[in-house]
Amino acid sequence: MTATTTLTARALLLDMDSTIVNSEAVVERCWRRWAAEQGLDADEVLKVVHGRQGWATMAALLPDRPMELNLADNRRMLAQETSDVDGVVPVPGAPAFMASLAGLPHALVTSADIPLSDARMGAAGLPMPAVRITAESVSASKPDPEGFLKGAAELGFAPEDCLVFEDSEAGIEAGRAAGMRVIGIGERAAAFAPTAQVPDLTRVRVEAGPDGVIAVHIGG
């Protein structure tokens, strides 16, 4: 991408995994183990895990499985993922991107729970936003828009004034369902029609403008 697109917003809502934190190695390890336990093709499982809470992924893959088993497996896997930060690093450009947001309205909106988001943001060396919407905050997983709508409300902005950063199909769908524009991060995002898409955060520059307007320059 050589041309630069500029989008304006008043608040930014950030997914975590594969958007600002690269946790792909841990996700793959944990879900390959689970797939083997269930007799499922791990490569097929990995196509649908991104963006959702674990129990929601399990329900999508095994629709006839009792939900209590999914919830139990979800708790076990969250504990495994929280203790495994080997290979967890920032997405390229994320440290500078997060530093540029200091003092600007922004929130983390993640399907991870509080301990997992603490572990991964800490392992990646990224600052935790003051506003954080996690699995504990919502009753429905992405692609439901609840998390993004709650993030906007906590920051005090209308959905149309918010710009979402996401990598997954479920997350991009959730942002659109919330009435927000979505910047897709990474190659996976390109297939799901975000408002704009970049390979990583080295292609994103944030600039504080007058009257609380945030200019997000994409590309270049």
Side-chain angles (χ1 to χ4, degrees), residues 7-170:
L7 299 176
T8 58
R10 293 188 175 274
L12 307 181
L13 302 178
L14 318 174
D15 175 51
M16 182 179 71
D17 291 302
S18 300
T19 298
I20 57 175
V21 173
N22 182 345
S23 56
E24 299 265 344
V26 181
V27 170
E28 182 163 338
R29 282 195 294 272
C30 288
W31 281 99
R32 282 191 180 279
R33 282 196 299 265
W34 183 85
E37 292 169 3
Q38 306 305 319
L40 297 175
D41 184 316
D43 291 334
E44 294 302 312
V45 168
L46 288 169
K47 291 178 181 178
V48 299
V49 302
H50 300 286
R52 295 179 175 89
Q53 292 187 44
W55 60 263
T57 294
M58 295 169 194
L61 290 165
L62 298 171
D64 297 327
R65 191 178 194 232
M67 184 56 73
E68 58 265 28
L69 296 181
N70 295 337
L71 294 171
D73 277 2
N74 185 62
R75 288 190 294 270
R76 174 172 60 89
M77 290 180 69
L78 279 172
Q80 291 172 353
E81 291 184 89
T82 300
S83 64
D84 182 0
V85 293
D86 186 25
V88 174
V89 295
V91 165
F97 172 74
M98 294 300 289
S100 74
L101 301 188
L104 299 179
H106 67 287
L108 192 72
V109 181
T110 176
S111 293
D113 63 5
I114 290 172
L116 182 56
S117 58
D118 281 339
R120 287 188 175 164
M121 292 289 282
L126 297 176
M128 182 65 74
V131 175
R132 171 172 41 164
I133 305 299
T134 63
E136 294 93 340
S137 311
V138 298
S139 60
S141 172
K142 299 172 186 177
D144 190 283
E146 181 184 3
F148 287 124
L149 292 172
K150 282 197 168 185
E154 288 209 20
L155 290 171
F157 293 94
E160 59 268 25
D161 289 329
C162 297
L163 190 58
V164 167
F165 289 74
E166 263 286 1
D167 72 292
S168 70
E169 179 178 18

